[in-house]
């Protein structure tokens, strides 16, 4: 009895209301209070602005046909190579690309396809990349817009005025810079306000509205990492000059493989061709994107090799070749019968 009245110090004391049933009911009450207290003032403010129970707006077209968007991040910029702590200094105001960034853009130009339209940010590093990547397409339409400028309040994301850009000697020397359309930049800047103060959802929705007004459906965006990640929704890291293929429609943005995108938009590009081209043998989608007309069919290497081979044969070589059994599937017979 004494032991029951005065438990030993080693025995744990059971606190009041700590029975299994009470613990369960207490946990239920606690979970409700913790969930209500975890809501931040920012989320409450967004709910008030968007309406009670509303979700973040979906990045999608409101109407119209789907469009194929190839997203390309600019080449490596000087701000990317900055020492930690110096990136926020005025030294990197609207930072251009590095020598490595220029080479990345030149390498991409060798394997890029011709779209109907190129939309580019008004930041210097994006303008440089667009001019170098698409330098071989002399008649390509390129439009600059602040809508796709990078997000974030750091000096490298601060755009310069159009007058400053056009006076920049390094930009003037780029191929195709004089063809970039800056006509709507001033009006778009007034529409969106200060570009650095936009949220990612606002920027992407503004770009969707911009796309809906354009008649083109095969478009390349030359932009920036954060904007491309927010627009695609599924890309964690965007490498410099590494194209990301997407398609956007009323359902949203979908990532695609390059082969899948070329196959899908091939029929659309084919519909833009004249009727005479449609009756001819259909070339690959890559060729269709390069030009709208058919070209002279190149001579196949095998036929030219066989003709040169037969012309160079001597009578002795011909007799030797005739004695050999013909085997069309054996490539070694062709090599042996044609002297090097």
């Amino acid at each position: 009895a004494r032991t029951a009245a005065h438990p030993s110090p080693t025995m744990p004391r059971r606190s009041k209301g700590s029975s299994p049933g009470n613990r369960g009911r207490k946990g239920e009450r606690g979970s409700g209070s913790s969930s209500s207290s975890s809501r931040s003032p920012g989320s409450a403010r967004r709910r008030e602005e968007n309406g009670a129970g509303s979700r973040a707006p979906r990045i999608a077209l409101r109407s119209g046909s789907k469009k194929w968007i190839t997203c390309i991040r600019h080449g490596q910029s000087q701000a990317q190579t900055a020492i930690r702590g110096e990136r926020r200094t005025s030294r990197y105001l609207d930072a251009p690309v590095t020598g490595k960034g220029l080479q990345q853009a030149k390498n991409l130009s060798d394997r890029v396809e011709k779209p109907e339209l190129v939309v580019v940010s008004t930041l210097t590093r994006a303008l440089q990349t667009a001019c170098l990547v698409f330098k071989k397409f002399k008649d390509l339409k390129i439009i600059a817009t602040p809508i796709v400028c990078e997000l974030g309040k750091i000096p490298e994301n601060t755009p310069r005025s159009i007058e400053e850009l056009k006076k920049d000697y390094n930009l003037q020397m780029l191929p195709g810079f004089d063809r970039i359309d800056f006509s709507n930049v001033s009006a778009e800047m007034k529409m969106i306000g200060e570009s650095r103060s936009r949220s990612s959802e606002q920027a992407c929705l503004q770009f969707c509205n911009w796309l809906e007004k354009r008649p083109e459906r095969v478009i390349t965006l030359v932009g920036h990492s954060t904007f491309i990640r927010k627009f695609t929704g599924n890309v964690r890291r965007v490498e410099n000059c590494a194209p990301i293929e997407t398609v956007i429609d009323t359902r949203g943005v979908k990532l695609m493989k390059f082969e899948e995108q070329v196959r899908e938009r091939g029929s659309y590009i084919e519909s833009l061709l004249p009727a005479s081209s449609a009756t001819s043998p259909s070339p690959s989608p890559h060729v269709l994107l390069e030009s709208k007309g058919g070209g002279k069919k190149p001579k196949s290497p095998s036929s030219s090799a066989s003709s040169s081979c037969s012309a160079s044969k001597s009578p002795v070589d011909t007799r030797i070749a005739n004695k050999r059994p013909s085997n069309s599937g054996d490539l070694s017979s062709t090599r042996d019968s044609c002297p090097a």
Side-chain angles (χ1 to χ4, degrees), residues 125-172:
R125 55 190 184 273
L127 293 170
Q128 290 175 305
T129 304
C131 290
L132 293 174
V133 169
F134 298 100
K135 60 183 180 181
K136 62 183 178 180
F137 305 115
K138 306 300 182 183
D139 58 341
L140 180 61
K141 185 185 301 182
I142 304 178
I143 298 180
T145 173
I147 294 177
V148 296
C149 281
E150 184 61 306
L151 307 171
K153 298 181 179 180
I154 51 179
E156 64 188 271
N157 298 338
T158 304
R160 294 183 288 171
S161 65
I162 304 304
E163 291 74 16
E164 290 178 296
L165 292 174
K166 291 184 176 180
K167 292 179 181 179
D168 191 324
Y169 177 77
N170 293 326
L171 291 178
Q172 292 177 1

Side-chain angles (χ1 to χ4, degrees), residues 31-87:
S31 62
S33 60
S34 61
S35 62
S36 60
S37 61
S38 62
R39 296 173 181 173
S40 62
S43 61
R45 184 170 58 254
R46 287 191 295 271
R47 286 195 305 273
E48 291 178 1
E49 294 175 355
N50 300 329
S54 62
R55 297 180 178 180
R58 183 177 58 176
I59 309 303
L61 299 178
R62 292 175 296 181
S63 60
S65 304
K66 65 181 177 181
K67 302 193 177 189
W68 296 273
I69 312 296
T70 301
C71 302
I72 300 177
R73 185 189 179 188
H74 57 80
Q76 185 191 64
S77 69
Q78 293 182 3
Q80 287 182 257
T81 61
I83 303 174
R84 187 174 183 178
E86 290 188 359
R87 194 165 182 172

Side-chain angles (χ1 to χ4, degrees), residues 114 116 269 272-274 276-278 287-295:
K114 181 182 179 181
E116 292 182 275
I269 296 295
L272 301 178
L273 298 176
S276 59
S277 300
V287 178
L288 291 174
L289 290 171
E290 292 293 340
S291 62
K292 293 188 178 181

